[in-house]
Amino acid sequence: MDEFGLIRRYFAIPAVERKDVVLGIGDDAALLRVPLDHELAVSTDSLIAGVHFPDDFAADAVAHRALAANLSDLAAMGATPAWALLALTLPEADEEWLEDFSRGFFALARQERVALVGGNIARGPLNVTITVHGFVPRGMALTRRGAEPGDLIYVTGHPGDAAAGFELLQRGEAPPEHPCVRRFTHPLPRLAAGEVLRGIASAAIDISDGLLADLGHLLDLRNFGAKLALERLPLSAGLQQLYSRDEGWRLALTGGDDYELCFTVPASRAALAEARLGGVGCPVACVGAVEPIAGIQCVDGKGGVRTFPLPGYRHF
Ligand code: ADP
Ligand code: MG
C-alpha cells in the first residue's frame, strides 16, 4: 500500500464530526474555524522509539501516549481540545502495527472529541509527532505564572503510578492490567479538571517530568518556593502494595510520565476548586503551599525536612 492508501485506510476516517472543521484531511492544508471570543491554544510533542518508549511497545499504547501527552498540555492551559495533526515516521508500512496505532489513536480522540485534520507520513526511525489545538475563552487560560505565597498546591490523581508501572515493565514483571502499568501505557489527560479550574487556579502545569521538577518550573518563574507535606501525597493503593512509604514518596515526587495536573489556588478559592473537581469526578489532593522561601521543602509527619535526589528528566 502506498502512503495515500495508508492515509485513507488508517487516518482519514470520520471518527469525530466537528462543525468547526471546514476542510479536513486530503487537501494541502486543513481549514478550521476558531469560535468567536476564544483564543487558540496550540502545543506539540514528539514520542521517539528507544527514547520515550521501548521499540516493542504496543502500537495502540504508542498512539494513546502520544495523543494523551499532547492533550495534557491543553488540560494544563484550561483549554478544550478540538483538532490534531499527526506526523508519523515509520521504518516500514507494517499494517498490523498501523491498525493497532489507528485504533489506539481514535479511541482517545473519540473520547475527547478531537478531530484529526491532517498530518504527514514518511519513512524513517519510528517517531510520532502530534500537534493539538484547543480553545479557551479569551483571557481565561491557565498559565504557569500566577502563583503567590499562601496559595495552596494541589495535584490530581495519583502521582508516581506511571513511574511505578514503568519500573514493573522494565523488570518484565508487569501484568498489563495492573493499574500502575495501565497508567504508564494509557495516561489520562485531565481535560475536564483543567476546564473547571479556569478562573479559579492561579497557576497550572502538567506533570511530565515529576512533581518536584514541574512544580519547580511554576515557582521558579516567580522566585518563590514551597513546603510540601509528604503525608498528604496521594499514593495509590497499587503503588503502596509495591513500594515502601519512602519509595512511594520518591516515585510520587520524582517519577515522570504521570500527566496529572499540578496547580495553585488562593486559599479563598480552595473550597470552590475542590467542589468543582469533585463534580467532574477528578481525584485531587492538597499537598502543600507556596512560600516566600528558596526551593521546595518536603516535610514528613514528624516535621523533619527531607530531600529527594534527581528530580525530573533532562533531554540534554
Ligand atoms: P502534501 O504533499 O501536500 O503535504 P501529503 O501527501 O503529505 O500532502 O498528505 C495528503 C493529505 O493527507 C494532507 O491533507 C495531509 O494533511 C494528510 N495526511 C498525511 N499524513 C497524515 C497522517 N498521518 N494523519 C492524518 N492526515 C495525514
Ligand atoms: Mg505532506
Side-chain angles (χ1 to χ4, degrees):
M1 206 183 283
D2 68 10
E3 66 191 88
F4 302 106
L6 295 176
I7 293 166
R8 264 198 309 278
R9 172 126 193 202
Y10 298 111
F11 300 110
I13 55 184
V16 179
E17 283 284 322
R18 292 190 63 103
K19 290 208 167 61
D20 48 24
V21 179
V22 180
L23 190 58
I25 292 174
D27 215 303
D28 291 310
L31 295 175
L32 307 166
R33 214 170 262 158
V34 180
L36 272 182
D37 298 322
H38 284 66
E39 282 154 1
L40 186 63
V42 185
S43 183
T44 194
D45 251 314
S46 296
L47 281 196
I48 302 161
V51 178
H52 300 103
F53 60 90
D55 290 286
D56 60 354
F57 207 55
D60 73 305
V62 173
H64 181 106
R65 283 195 77 216
L67 183 55
N70 274 277
L71 292 176
S72 177
D73 285 319
L74 292 184
M77 301 298 291
T80 305
W83 315 309
L85 298 170
L86 167 64
L88 201 54
T89 63
L90 299 168
E92 58 190 340
D94 176 340
E95 294 208 26
E96 206 179 315
W97 192 94
L98 280 161
E99 179 78 47
D100 289 348
F101 182 93
S102 173
R103 190 169 32 79
F105 184 93
F106 286 111
L108 181 56
R110 271 192 203 96
Q111 189 180 313
E112 301 298 349
R113 291 207 28 79
V114 177
L116 181 64
V117 297
N120 196 49
I121 189 161
R123 190 187 291 272
L126 180 54
N127 175 316
V128 183
T129 297
I130 295 178
T131 304
V132 286
H133 308 73
F135 312 136
V136 63
R138 191 175 294 171
M140 295 292 283
L142 305 175
T143 72
R144 297 181 177 187
R145 279 203 172 269
E148 295 285 347
D151 287 2
L152 301 177
I153 298 169
Y154 287 87
V155 294
T156 61
H158 303 286
D161 277 10
F166 181 64
E167 288 193 1
L168 285 180
L169 277 174
Q170 277 187 317
R171 282 193 246 133
E173 289 172 8
E177 67 284 0
H178 190 287
C180 292
V181 174
R182 187 78 192 159
R183 190 43 57 112
F184 178 75
T185 58
H186 290 77
L188 287 179
R190 295 293 185 180
L191 288 154
E195 287 176 45
V196 300
L197 288 169
R198 289 175 194 155
I200 295 179
S202 51
I205 190 167
D206 69 320
I207 308 176
S208 52
D209 296 340
L211 174 56
L212 285 183
D214 289 312
L215 174 60
H217 294 318
L218 282 190
L219 299 168
D220 286 350
L221 283 171
R222 306 297 313 272
N223 277 321
F224 297 135
K227 276 190 188 161
L228 297 186
L230 290 166
E231 309 223 306
R232 293 207 198 168
L233 289 173
L235 305 185
S236 73
L239 185 78
Q240 292 188 60
Q241 266 169 20
L242 293 166
Y243 292 93
S244 69
R245 197 190 56 171
D246 282 46
E247 281 295 286
W249 287 346
R250 177 185 65 81
L251 287 168
L253 291 169
T254 67
D257 294 314
D258 283 311
Y259 301 108
E260 295 294 347
L261 297 183
C262 173
F263 57 94
T264 58
V265 180
S268 60
R269 297 202 287 260
L272 181 58
E274 289 175 26
R276 291 250 185 119
L277 290 166
V280 296
C282 181
V284 63
C286 177
V287 295
V290 180
E291 304 268 348
I293 58 175
I296 300 173
Q297 280 187 10
C298 298
V299 184
D300 66 22
K302 299 189 181 106
V305 175
R306 307 272 291 266
T307 55
F308 292 86
L310 278 185
Y313 177 79
R314 292 268 180 278
H315 296 269
F316 296 101

